[in-house]
Amino acid sequence: MKILVVGGGGREHAIIKKLKENPKAEKIYALPGNGGIARDAECVNIGAKDIDSIVTFAYENRIDYAVVAPDDPLVLGCVDALEAHGIPCFGPRANAAIIEGSKVFSKNLMKKYGIPTAAYEVFDSVDPALAYLENAPIPAVIKADGLALGKGVIIAQTREEAYDAVRTIMSERKFGASGDRIVIEEFLEGPEVSVLAFTDGNTVVPMVSSMDHKRALDCDKGLNTGGMGTIAPNPFYTRDIARRCRDEIFIPTVKAMNAEGRTFKGCLYFGLMITNDGPKVIEYNCRFGDPETQVVLPLMKSDLLDTMIAVTQGRLAETSVEFYDKCAACVIMASQGYPEHYEKGYEITIPEDEAEHVYVAGAALKDGALVNSGGRVLGVTRTAPTLKEALELAYGSVRRIHFANAYYRKDIGKKALEAGDKE
Ligand code: AMP
Ligand code: GLY
């Protein structure tokens, strides 16, 4: 089979490495891929948002199957466009990807179908939003409606910060049209859990749970990032919580999307908070998480390509999807300064025996050498029977990999280890 993977980050590298385990995956193209993915796939310089060029490439190269991984092309209708040319895909159509593309849509969906989430109000102009905030509980959470590179959420600790957040998003239009509408919601507390689930619209198969570490600095300080590391499974996701999530959140969400005529097929990401009132949805994503994928797929025992095709063909109920009873830890090596200003172009050295543990995100090939080209550069993942061992191995690998301005958090998995100890 000739397979095309749209995207070019660590998540796509993890997907490609896993797809390659299936001998049917004769040839894999990555659009655009990156300098590290080039070891595992043929990279083609077509941007993930350039839907027309993606479709033309897929058609001309007789692609048998396409995996559309990032949010932007999914929301823009990449799957619809590929399917219109007869190319089967993994990923939701645009009318279902809206579950991530519009926070107003997803909040209204949850309200309509009784799926637990933070209480909220929607505003499409500044003055009513400011008037509402005069008496709203603080902290308040202000969210731009549309995609904002994961940065469209502001947690205002004071009323002044909340007013500023509304002005930044709506008047200054920091996130462009994504901020034409906003959601103001209740601040929830509790441990966060990420659950990625395969669904073909009938059956939902949750993958092993994981925990992201979104802040740039140790002890959850500093700015929000795309994610500085992950561990799996997440110790806060107990059997009891998992059962409640399935019954109160996962199955109701898939049914709600069907009832709206927006059947979701692909990987549905549930960003959950385990509050004192039970699990609640913080966000939905219409795709695999990054860097959650870098810990979830290494623990997947079943074949990824076969599972994806079963999703596409609506045969997930007949397919068994299994995970190893092990733990995984991924430490992100970033460029110093991320998520703000950072220098690029430093050569990366990875010992040959570590390459199998590395998912490359922001790196390019320059004169044959791998150099950093993005904020998040590498994801270093190790698996082991316990989380403690997986973390020791991951940090051991990280210390053997070098580039001039490398930065990584030293406390990935710390909270999870402490939680695990309490059980
Ligand atoms: P999101 O981009 O929706 O994932 O939000 C980014 C982060 O903001 C989440 O991972 C949470 O840590 C936090 N967050 C979002 N919504 C809430 C909320 N209602 N209460 C508390 N924290 C939140
Ligand atoms: N790691 C969070 C996300 O993929 O949205």
Side-chain angles (χ1 to χ4, degrees):
M1 278 176 86
K2 281 180 164 184
I3 300 170
L4 176 161
V5 176
V6 177
R11 165 185 54 204
E12 287 75 15
H13 199 186
I15 290 173
I16 287 167
K17 281 195 179 186
K18 193 77 187 167
L19 288 173
K20 277 181 72 175
E21 290 177 7
N22 187 319
K24 282 189 298 233
E26 277 163 66
K27 175 87 194 174
I28 303 184
Y29 295 98
L31 277 58
N34 66 43
I37 290 177
R39 277 176 73 115
D40 292 292
E42 184 172 331
C43 296
V44 182
N45 192 16
I46 294 175
K49 289 199 258 185
D50 186 354
I51 309 290
D52 289 343
S53 303
I54 293 169
V55 172
T56 305
F57 177 87
Y59 191 70
E60 287 178 352
N61 290 279
R62 299 166 186 264
I63 295 297
D64 299 299
Y65 192 63
V67 177
V68 182
D71 46 3
D72 281 311
L74 290 166
V75 170
L76 289 169
C78 191
V79 166
D80 308 56
L82 287 164
E83 284 180 350
H85 286 76
I87 297 158
C89 295
F90 183 85
R93 296 180 183 158
N95 74 345
I98 192 174
I99 199 164
E100 174 170 4
S102 167
K103 295 219 188 303
V104 174
F105 170 86
S106 66
K107 294 297 291 190
N108 290 344
L109 183 86
M110 288 185 269
K111 187 189 263 179
K112 183 170 171 187
Y113 293 92
I115 297 165
T117 188
Y120 72 102
E121 297 288 335
V122 175
F123 298 94
D124 60 9
S125 58
V126 176
D127 291 340
L130 294 178
Y132 169 80
L133 280 173
E134 279 174 29
N135 297 307
I138 297 294
V141 183
I142 293 109
K143 300 186 171 183
D145 176 39
L147 296 181
L149 297 169
K151 295 183 183 129
V153 174
I154 298 173
I155 299 180
Q157 300 291 349
T158 65
R159 219 165 284 283
E160 271 316 309
E161 273 178 40
Y163 297 144
D164 283 348
V166 170
R167 291 190 198 105
T168 307
I169 299 176
M170 298 197 96
S171 311
E172 294 161 26
R173 305 189 87 232
K174 185 166 177 198
F175 308 111
S178 286
D180 286 349
R181 287 192 294 178
I182 57 169
V183 172
I184 300 182
E185 70 177 31
E186 172 198 8
F187 176 76
L188 297 178
E189 283 178 281
E192 287 186 52
V193 179
S194 304
V195 178
L196 319 181
F198 291 108
T199 176
D200 59 3
N202 292 310
T203 305
V204 198
V205 178
M207 300 177 224
V208 61
S209 63
S210 55
M211 183 193 289
D212 194 4
H213 297 69
K214 284 214 167 81
R215 301 293 203 94
L217 309 177
D218 284 359
C219 304
D220 291 331
K221 298 220 163 61
L223 294 171
N224 251 323
T225 70
M228 294 299 295
T230 37
I231 58 97
N234 185 322
F236 294 101
Y237 193 70
T238 59
R239 265 174 206 279
D240 178 49
I241 294 288
R243 198 172 332 107
R244 287 190 65 177
C245 288
R246 184 194 62 198
D247 296 343
E248 298 168 24
I249 296 173
F250 304 160
I251 294 172
T253 301
V254 168
K255 284 190 175 160
M257 291 298 277
N258 287 337
E260 294 293 309
R262 297 174 181 273
T263 294
F264 189 103
K265 288 172 109 174
C267 173
L268 185 50
Y269 169 130
F270 299 89
L272 306 166
M273 200 171 264
I274 315 302
T275 72
N276 288 335
D277 292 337
K280 296 192 180 185
V281 177
I282 289 282
E283 63 163 345
Y284 291 117
N285 291 325
C286 64
R287 51 172 174 84
F288 284 94
D290 189 346
E292 284 87 343
T293 307
Q294 290 89 314
V295 284
V296 169
L297 291 187
L299 293 178
M300 187 171 172
K301 195 170 179 182
S302 305
D303 184 77
L304 179 63
L305 179 59
D306 289 343
T307 307
M308 285 182 159
I309 293 173
V311 166
T312 305
Q313 297 179 344
R315 292 188 291 99
L316 192 54
E318 307 157 21
T319 312
S320 99
V321 185
E322 287 180 51
F323 286 81
Y324 293 109
D325 188 16
K326 292 206 308 188
C327 297
C330 172
V331 177
I332 296 292
M333 297 184 76
S335 305
Q336 181 79 48
Y338 169 77
E340 296 189 294
H341 176 76
Y342 53 84
E343 304 285 327
K344 300 178 191 177
Y346 295 114
E347 186 166 343
I348 304 166
T349 51
I350 306 175
E352 197 49 42
D353 59 337
E354 295 291 357
E356 63 176 308
H357 308 128
V358 178
Y359 298 119
V360 178
L365 284 172
K366 196 172 136 198
D367 305 326
L370 198 62
V371 300
N372 72 318
S373 65
R376 292 191 291 175
V377 182
L378 309 173
V380 181
T381 297
R382 298 295 299 262
T383 63
T386 67
L387 177 59
K388 188 165 175 285
E389 290 165 280
L391 284 163
E392 280 166 7
L393 288 170
Y395 277 110
S397 292
V398 163
R399 283 190 290 271
R400 296 184 63 215
I401 296 170
H402 300 283
F403 52 99
N405 62 341
Y407 165 77
Y408 57 92
R409 270 181 67 163
K410 311 290 184 297
D411 66 340
I412 301 303
K414 187 162 176 264
K415 242 194 246 172
L417 278 181
E418 287 165 3
D421 285 346
K422 274 185 227 125
E423 274 176 9

